[in-house]
């Protein structure tokens, strides 16, 4: 298990992940290696997709992606998740080296059914943070320490992380992981998610440049109900 440096005051929760197996996964852009892990605490399965020589000590181009079934698998335009997943995999394939962690913490950790409940509230005017709070959840319940045993298994010590979320960067740093670089991942800005992205920038601190504030009052345009 990677541990924080002695100067870090933050307590890092102990994660219990068991490596299960790995296999080749041919994708449209490259053939990745898929590594499967079982999370003994949550009972979830987490995945790491790797390409190239990632264990040689050089910082690794990486994406820590939280599950979004609606965006990743069902093409939802409410968020930017599916486009970020594809863009990250393409970037890794282009470099020929990198890792994508696919963490099964759907809906920022509240689960798929509660995310649909939150979307229902958003259809009726709440923003993404208010909806979580009305359901009795914090805005973001994710744990990035899940990555620690996977990083150790893969012999990765330093990341070039593709994200717009400074909380993710800080949480990983506080876990003792070196973040050599943050690489912005700005994709799929569309009429259905522009306000949602605005809320992420205003309330969750995401670094999403050049959002027009006037457009970013979160309301799903009526057509989104037909389209999703
Ligand atoms: N509760 C809730 N979860 C959402 C909503 N929209 C997306 N998600 C979940 O949010 C997670 C993705 O987090 P984001 O906040 O979009 O982005 P991030 O991973 O923090 O930051 P990036 O690295 O820049 O993508 C996934 O688990 C999605 O299922 C929403 O409106 N409500
Ligand atoms: Zn999403």
């Amino acid at each position: 298990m990677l541990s924080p440096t002695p100067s870090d005051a933050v307590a890092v929760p102990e994660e219990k992940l068991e490596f299960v197996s790995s296999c080749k996964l041919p994708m449209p852009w490259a053939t990745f290696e898929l590594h499967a892990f079982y999370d003994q605490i949550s009972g979830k399965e987490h995945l790491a997709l790797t390409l190239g020589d990632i264990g040689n000590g050089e910082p690794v181009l990486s994406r820590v992606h939280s599950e979004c079934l609606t965006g990743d698998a069902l093409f939802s335009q409410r968020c930017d998740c599916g486009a970020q997943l594809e863009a990250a995999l393409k970037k890794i394939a282009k470099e020929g080296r990198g890792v994508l962690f696919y963490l099964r913490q759907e809906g920022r950790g509240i689960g798929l059914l509660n995310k649909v409940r939150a979307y229902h509230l958003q259809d009726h005017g709440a923003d993404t943070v208010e909806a979580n709070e009305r359901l009795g959840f914090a805005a973001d319940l994710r744990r990035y320490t899940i990555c620690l045993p996977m990083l150790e298994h893969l012999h990765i010590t330093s990341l070039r992380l593709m994200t717009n979320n400074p909380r993710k960067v800080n949480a990983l740093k506080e876990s003792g992981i070196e973040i050599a670089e943050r690489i912005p991942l700005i994709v799929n800005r569309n009429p259905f998610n522009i306000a949602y992205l605005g809320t992420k920038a205003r309330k969750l601190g995401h670094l999403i440049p050049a959002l027009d504030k006037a457009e970013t009052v979160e309301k799903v345009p009526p057509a989104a109900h037909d389209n999703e």
Side-chain angles (χ1 to χ4, degrees):
M1 169 75 62
L2 297 176
S3 55
T5 59
S7 59
D8 286 334
V10 182
V12 177
E14 186 70 27
E15 298 287 349
K16 289 197 165 54
L17 254 72
E18 179 193 326
F19 169 71
V20 177
S21 193
S22 62
C23 67
K24 301 228 170 295
L25 198 70
M27 292 179 137
W29 318 286
T31 296
F32 284 71
E33 191 80 15
L34 176 68
H35 310 262
F37 297 83
Y38 177 67
D39 184 337
Q40 294 169 350
I41 295 174
S42 68
K44 298 265 185 192
E45 306 97 352
H46 305 293
L47 302 170
L49 283 157
T50 62
L51 190 67
D53 182 8
I54 47 163
N56 64 4
E58 292 294 309
V60 178
L61 181 63
S62 60
R63 167 85 183 144
V64 174
H65 192 88
S66 299
E67 177 177 16
C68 176
L69 186 101
T70 46
D72 298 339
L74 300 177
F75 315 103
S76 168
Q77 299 296 298
R78 291 186 82 121
C79 59
D80 49 353
C81 304
Q84 286 183 313
L85 178 62
E86 184 171 340
L89 289 167
K90 279 183 178 166
K91 269 177 188 273
I92 291 169
K94 199 169 174 199
E95 282 207 8
R97 179 175 180 269
V99 61
L100 183 138
F101 295 102
Y102 195 85
L103 306 182
R104 308 293 303 286
Q105 27 190 8
E106 168 65 71
R108 298 195 193 107
I110 67 174
L112 179 60
L113 300 182
N114 284 319
K115 188 176 81 168
V116 175
R117 289 191 177 105
Y119 276 171
H120 180 79
L121 294 174
Q122 289 168 58
D123 287 347
H124 294 87
D127 70 32
T128 181
V129 171
E130 289 162 354
N132 259 38
E133 287 168 353
R134 278 194 215 167
L135 292 170
F137 297 110
D140 196 337
L141 292 171
R142 282 174 291 178
R143 286 191 349 261
Y144 297 107
T145 44
I146 297 169
C147 294
L148 295 178
M150 296 197 271
L151 286 161
E152 187 180 51
H153 179 83
L154 297 167
H155 306 291
I156 300 173
T157 52
S158 176
L159 302 177
R160 293 165 54 224
L161 188 66
M162 293 182 267
T163 183
N164 310 317
N165 184 352
R167 286 182 195 207
K168 192 182 286 186
V169 174
N170 291 336
L172 288 167
K173 277 186 183 167
E174 284 168 3
S175 305
I177 298 164
E178 184 182 88
I179 306 294
E181 186 185 357
R182 181 189 76 86
I183 301 170
L185 195 58
I186 312 278
V187 281
N188 193 31
R189 199 172 288 183
N190 70 53
F192 302 117
N193 70 19
I194 190 83
Y196 162 83
L197 296 176
T199 305
K200 287 212 293 188
R202 278 197 310 276
K203 290 195 170 178
L204 296 172
H206 286 229
L207 303 167
I208 306 173
L211 277 174
D212 179 349
K213 292 278 187 308
E215 285 181 296
T216 61
V217 177
E218 192 164 341
K219 273 199 183 68
V220 178
H225 299 226
D226 305 329
N227 286 354
E228 285 208 342

